[in-house]
Amino acid sequence: MKKIITLSLLLCTFLMAAQSSPGKHSIRLLNVNTKNADFGLNFYGKDKVIFASPTEKVAIVRRNWEGNDQPFLDLFIGDIDSTGQIINKQSLRGEVNRKYHEASVTFTKDLKTVYFSGNNYDEKGKAIKGRNGLSNIQLYKADVESNYIWSNVQKLEFNSDDFSTGLPTLDKEEKKLYFVSDRPGSIGKTDIWVVDILPDGTYSEPRNMGNRINTEEREMFPHIDDDNMLFFSSNGHAGFGNLDIFASKIYDNTVSEPINLGEPLNSPKDDFAYILRDETQGYFSSNRKEGKGDDDIYSFKVDEKIYIECLQTVRGVVRDRDTKELLPGALVAILDSEGNQLQITAASEDTAEYSFDVPCNSEYTIVGTNDGYLKLEKEVTTVNDLDAPAIVQNLDLESEFKLIGDEVLVNINVIYFDFDKHNIRPDAALELDKVIEVMNKYPDLKIHATSHTDSRGTKSYNQKLSERRAKSTVEYMIAKGIAPERLTSEGLGESQLVNKCSDGVKCSKEEHQLNRRTNFSVVKEEVEETVIE
């Protein structure tokens, strides 16, 4: 009973540690904010940021946006100081800041290309209106020069005059571009979409992120971190009111259910444009009442890396390899790629089944053990997807010993040697380790190693070669900690061939290989009786 309780506790501890966690955020209002809308910060390298803010320009006619009677948005650049504040704010130069709105950028890692949102213009700079009568937001691409000047501004090919496309973010490999649009096929008022960036620089057809992400309301401001975590804002998922910030993990073919990042990050007002500087700090925007004006930029710190759980089941049955008899009670452990034991369980009493739930997209080793059987290890790899079917890995254990005629042999795969060689090959070392494991389990066990050659060469030469092979196997085991007095060996040359390949008989290389071998037999009578019974 104590063993069962211990195993259960180990399993529970692992599963509890693997639960999804949004982290706990602490936030701070930045000094760079104005009385108008400041939002949508993105990084330009490690120490600079780009963000949207209205520009107060001296003009005969003040260019205000009908939506909020504030000046139209332009893009600004600033430096991050040692405290996380944004300083040295200045307007971007070049072709970027035009008559109406520009906002929300994402850069390639080499900082030579930028994607950004802006109102719809023709080549002469005149606003283009769609069927809805609006100059809909478009997604643009531009080249970035070393002095922060943007040039060669181009609309992306999947824009349309009749709907909006904007708020871009790139994944880590820069092979996917995510954005927001109200295009046909949207589930709600605005949805998050994605395109593949193809090798020739063109784009795939846009794909909707689906109803785990998108709702009938608004999903906006996506950001993808280096772990393929999607952060976005929504007023359609359950939250604290208006736009809240959520996180969802993107896998190869699936996405996780979004988790709300909680208070104080989220509030009854709009909270959006979440972006990480590293795993525990970053920036977001909000129009909560504690701010300076309309939308404001805040910095945050989070106490732990945001984690979303993805588990896949690994299961199977433990059996005797030869008889297929079930082996209830056999111990099965699962190890991570570094050899650390994560969980251990006993095969069920009724069906000899075992089962583990382990993180997705990882490599594991399943280890099966049972009294009277050799340890068996099997490699498994979980997929990078939610809702994947269980991986079935049955464990067919081999008896530690086998009876061949009057001899009791350690039940391992035959150890083979290369032609005219006596060194231990890597595949042979794996089998020798099994012999060592058995000898460690039975401290009184003594083993006699017999080595053989094929028929090529003279009988006298082959006799000496077989003796060298026997000696090398014993030396390997001694080096691994087996006492020399527990080991004996002899070479039998070509006297005990396992097939027809004697002198003068034409055989293939594979047939000759079968004769270059070493076997291990049990010596001590009382141990022989014990292990056979």
Side-chain angles (χ1 to χ4, degrees), residues 57 63 72-74 96-102 121 125:
K57 296 182 178 179
R63 297 182 292 106
F72 282 102
L73 296 168
D74 279 346
V96 57
N97 285 324
R98 296 176 293 180
K99 184 178 179 181
Y100 296 106
H101 284 301
E102 288 83 24
Y121 297 89

Side-chain angles (χ1 to χ4, degrees), residues 255-412:
V255 295
S256 68
E257 292 287 348
I259 59 172
N260 189 298
L261 298 191
E263 296 178 307
L265 187 74
N266 288 319
S267 71
K269 291 290 190 176
D270 289 326
D271 306 293
F272 57 98
Y274 183 100
I275 185 168
L276 287 165
R277 190 180 185 194
D278 55 38
E279 292 181 352
T280 59
Q281 59 182 334
Y283 298 89
F284 76 104
S285 303
S286 178
N287 64 352
R288 62 190 65 194
K289 64 181 182 180
E290 297 87 352
K292 288 186 176 182
D294 191 316
D295 298 322
D296 292 299
I297 300 172
Y298 293 75
S299 65
F300 68 78
K301 291 184 178 180
V302 59
D303 62 349
E304 61 182 3
K305 182 179 178 180
I306 294 170
Y307 174 78
I308 291 182
E309 178 184 63
C310 174
L311 298 177
Q312 187 176 12
T313 299
V314 179
R315 61 178 175 83
V317 176
V318 188
R319 304 175 295 197
D320 183 295
R321 189 187 73 167
D322 299 319
T323 67
K324 303 305 179 184
E325 178 187 356
L326 298 178
L327 299 176
L331 289 181
V332 184
I334 187 164
L335 283 58
D336 65 17
S337 58
E338 297 180 353
N340 302 308
Q341 182 174 291
L342 302 178
Q343 301 179 48
I344 186 170
T345 189
S348 68
E349 293 297 326
D350 297 329
T351 61
E353 294 179 340
Y354 75 91
S355 179
F356 298 117
D357 290 325
V358 290
C360 302
N361 198 31
S362 299
E363 296 178 351
Y364 301 96
T365 301
I366 306 294
V367 182
T369 57
N370 196 43
D371 289 342
Y373 290 87
L374 294 171
K375 179 175 71 177
L376 178 63
E377 297 184 355
K378 292 287 187 178
E379 306 297 323
V380 296
T381 301
T382 53
V383 300
N384 188 37
D385 266 317
L386 292 169
D387 309 323
I391 296 173
V392 178
Q393 180 59 73
N394 294 325
L395 301 177
D396 293 329
L397 304 187
E398 300 177 75
S399 297
E400 292 171 326
F401 303 96
K402 59 184 175 181
L403 187 62
I404 305 295
D406 295 331
E407 279 192 300
V408 178
L409 302 180
V410 180
N411 189 15
I412 62 170

Side-chain angles (χ1 to χ4, degrees), residues 416-430:
Y416 291 112
F417 295 85
D418 290 332
F419 175 67
D420 200 24
K421 301 290 185 182
H422 63 272
N423 59 290
I424 303 299
R425 300 189 327 199
D427 60 331
L430 294 175

Side-chain angles (χ1 to χ4, degrees), residues 13-217:
T13 300
F14 176 82
L15 293 177
M16 288 174 64
Q19 298 299 309
S20 300
S21 169
K24 183 174 176 61
H25 292 75
S26 57
I27 66 175
R28 182 176 63 165
L29 181 66
L30 298 187
N31 298 330
V32 74
N33 292 297
T34 68
K35 65 180 181 180
N36 294 316
D38 307 277
F39 68 93
L41 179 147
N42 210 315
F43 298 107
Y44 181 74
K46 293 183 178 180
D47 301 317
K48 292 184 181 294
V49 293
I50 306 289
F51 59 98
S53 183
T55 299
E56 296 283 0
K57 296 182 178 179
V58 177
I60 296 175
V61 179
R62 188 176 179 213
R63 297 182 292 106
N64 282 23
W65 179 35
E66 294 178 359
N68 61 5
D69 198 36
Q70 293 185 18
F72 282 102
L73 296 168
D74 279 346
L75 290 169
F76 290 80
I77 189 168
D79 298 315
I80 304 174
D81 72 8
S82 60
T83 67
Q85 291 283 353
I86 308 303
I87 60 175
N88 303 325
K89 172 185 173 183
Q90 57 181 307
S91 177
L92 284 174
R93 295 175 293 166
E95 301 175 26
V96 57
N97 285 324
R98 296 176 293 180
K99 184 178 179 181
Y100 296 106
H101 284 301
E102 288 83 24
S104 298
V105 306
T106 187
F107 291 91
T108 55
K109 288 185 175 62
D110 62 9
L111 303 180
K112 293 182 179 180
T113 302
V114 62
Y115 297 88
F116 67 97
S117 306
N119 278 109
N120 195 7
Y121 297 89
D122 62 20
E123 294 180 356
K124 296 181 179 180
K126 183 179 179 180
I128 300 173
K129 293 185 178 182
R131 286 195 294 265
N132 57 7
L134 301 176
S135 174
N136 291 303
I137 296 298
Q138 305 286 283
L139 197 51
Y140 294 87
K141 177 182 178 181
D143 297 330
V144 183
E145 300 175 17
S146 58
N147 53 358
Y148 315 134
I149 293 177
W150 296 4
S151 61
N152 191 28
V153 176
Q154 304 172 34
K155 290 181 189 177
L156 298 191
E157 59 197 49
F158 48 87
N159 286 302
S160 171
D161 296 342
D162 296 322
F163 51 76
S164 289
T165 305
L167 306 180
T169 185
L170 286 163
D171 72 343
K172 180 181 179 180
E173 284 76 30
E174 299 176 0
K175 293 182 178 180
K176 294 183 186 296
L177 179 67
Y178 296 81
F179 58 92
V180 172
S181 181
D182 58 356
R183 67 186 52 231
S186 293
I187 296 170
K189 296 174 182 176
T190 56
D191 283 5
I192 298 175
W193 295 72
V194 60
V195 293
D196 300 319
I197 302 175
L198 304 177
D200 63 359
T202 60
Y203 306 89
S204 69
E205 286 295 316
R207 300 186 301 277
N208 191 289
M209 289 291 290
N211 57 17
R212 274 191 175 171
I213 299 298
N214 295 313
T215 69
E216 294 181 353
E217 293 298 324

